[in-house]
Amino acid sequence: MAKVTVRTLQKLKNSGEKISALTAYDYSTAKYIDQAGIDIILIGDSLGMVALGYEDTTKVEVEEMAIFTKAVARGTQRAMVITDMPFMSYTIDIPSALRNIGSMVRYGANAVKIEGCNDYILELITRTVEAGIPVLGHIGFTPQSQNVIGGHIIQGKTTDATMHILQQAKLLQLAGAFAVVLEMVPEESAKYITENLEIPTISCGAGRYCDGQILVCDDIFGKYSEFKPKFARRYGDMKALILDCATKYNNDVKSGNYPNDEEIFKLSEEENNLLNSHIK
Ligand code: KIV
């Protein structure tokens, strides 16, 4: 099975076939998501909330992204593995940013995602691509800047704001980004941006007309229950499944119903007799 590359994603946009993307944070989940045929697996910094229990993404460390990147990369064969660069890991200066970005590729990422669009970010994207590392941009609502934005606020709600996001997307494209995530943008605005861009757009709450869709895996599995974004769709109830399995196991342990005959190792009869005749 052929690995998904930047070329595959561009071909999907050009042919009109949608790009599917999902986050994953551990080996087994990545393996099943890959087997399901998802094109992109993102080790999102959303892991800060759903896997590490932080209140937002600004608490995530480079070292934490490294561990989850290694696990996901080991579980993935076909999908493109993209690591989200965490808060402040790429904004201090270009050399330290490139060091952090390069380490994610060494841990198994095929590309990185970087939030925002300003002169510094554009230069960083160019330098990263020149270093041989593909970059996925991320504009619209950018969670790492939520304290500056003032909350989870929909972006691009006016024509002027849409034109501003389109201009950012074009600059990211020019800097060398292979695609761009549009987060929490009205679908008419996202459609306009998508139609005026050569590289693919990936929607995260930006409606039906982007070239692809991305969601957080814990949201679609019904595992993370603290908060469900309006745009996320639940396909399962893993919370109920985990609660049910753990409750049954707890009851079985307490009642002595676990383990049973098939779930234990036995001594040979001879060793058992010897053991029982052993005088302490
Ligand atoms: O951190 C994340 O999971 C993301 C998304 C685009 C879903 O950035």
Side-chain angles (χ1 to χ4, degrees):
M1 129 212 3
K3 181 89 181 163
V4 174
T5 67
V6 293
R7 284 164 59 87
T8 322
L9 300 174
Q10 190 62 51
K11 275 189 198 155
L12 288 174
K13 170 166 178 133
N14 298 347
S15 71
E17 184 179 332
K18 296 284 185 184
I19 297 164
S20 55
L22 202 52
T23 68
Y25 316 110
D26 68 280
Y27 168 80
S28 306
T29 308
K31 199 164 143 186
Y32 304 141
I33 288 175
D34 194 41
Q35 283 172 13
I38 298 291
D39 300 312
I40 292 173
I41 301 185
L42 174 75
I43 302 102
D45 60 357
S46 49
L47 67 83
M49 285 89 82
V50 304
L52 296 172
Y54 297 146
E55 63 185 25
D56 60 51
T57 59
T58 62
K59 312 293 176 291
V60 179
E61 305 277 353
V62 175
E63 293 73 19
E64 290 165 335
M65 294 307 292
I67 293 169
F68 292 100
T69 296
K70 288 181 196 174
V72 167
R74 285 193 283 258
T76 308
Q77 285 181 1
R78 175 187 171 272
M80 178 188 269
V81 173
I82 305 180
T83 297
D84 217 357
M85 293 312 296
F87 181 65
M88 294 300 289
S89 69
Y90 56 95
T91 39
I92 293 171
D93 55 36
I94 302 262
S96 66
L98 288 174
R99 251 191 307 279
N100 288 330
I101 289 168
S103 69
M104 295 307 155
V105 174
R106 246 174 254 116
Y107 299 139
N110 307 126
V112 294
K113 177 164 82 62
I114 291 174
E115 285 187 14
C117 179
N118 54 35
D119 288 348
Y120 170 82
I121 294 290
L122 292 169
E123 189 191 339
L124 177 61
I125 292 176
T126 301
R127 295 280 301 274
T128 305
V129 176
E130 277 170 6
I133 302 169
V135 177
L136 173 61
H138 183 157
I139 48 177
F141 176 66
T142 44
Q144 291 174 14
S145 307
Q146 63 175 311
N147 292 326
V148 173
I149 296 167
H152 283 75
I153 293 169
I154 301 168
Q155 304 292 304
K157 283 172 74 176
T158 61
T159 301
D160 279 356
T162 303
M163 291 307 167
H164 178 63
I165 300 175
L166 174 60
Q167 192 193 8
Q168 289 185 322
K170 283 190 167 172
L171 288 170
L172 292 174
Q173 175 176 276
L174 198 64
F178 67 86
V180 61
V181 170
L182 298 178
E183 181 160 350
M184 283 177 53
V185 172
E187 81 166 358
E188 299 86 343
S189 313
K191 181 173 187 281
Y192 188 80
I193 294 163
T194 301
E195 287 170 354
N196 284 283
L197 215 58
E198 277 154 40
I199 57 173
T201 57
I202 314 282
S203 158
C204 182
R208 290 164 283 197
Y209 303 103
C210 287
D211 300 302
Q213 297 290 332
I214 186 160
L215 285 175
V216 167
C217 67
D218 287 52
D219 286 336
I220 76 155
F221 298 156
K223 189 174 172 209
Y224 187 68
S225 59
E226 269 84 338
F227 170 70
K228 186 189 106 42
K230 172 182 161 73
F231 54 84
R233 184 180 291 180
R234 260 189 198 148
Y235 289 87
D237 194 351
M238 260 183 81
K239 178 188 169 187
L241 187 68
I242 293 169
L243 266 173
D244 185 47
C245 294
T247 305
K248 284 179 177 153
Y249 169 68
N250 188 43
N251 292 342
D252 283 350
V253 170
K254 301 280 183 193
S255 67
N257 194 31
Y258 175 84
N260 65 23
D261 277 353
E262 278 86 51
E263 294 160 336
I264 54 171
F265 303 106
K266 300 276 281 178
L267 280 178
S268 66
E269 205 179 318
E270 190 190 354
E271 284 298 333
N272 194 26
N273 288 341
L274 261 175
L275 182 67
N276 286 326
S277 62
H278 191 77
I279 301 163
K280 283 187 186 162

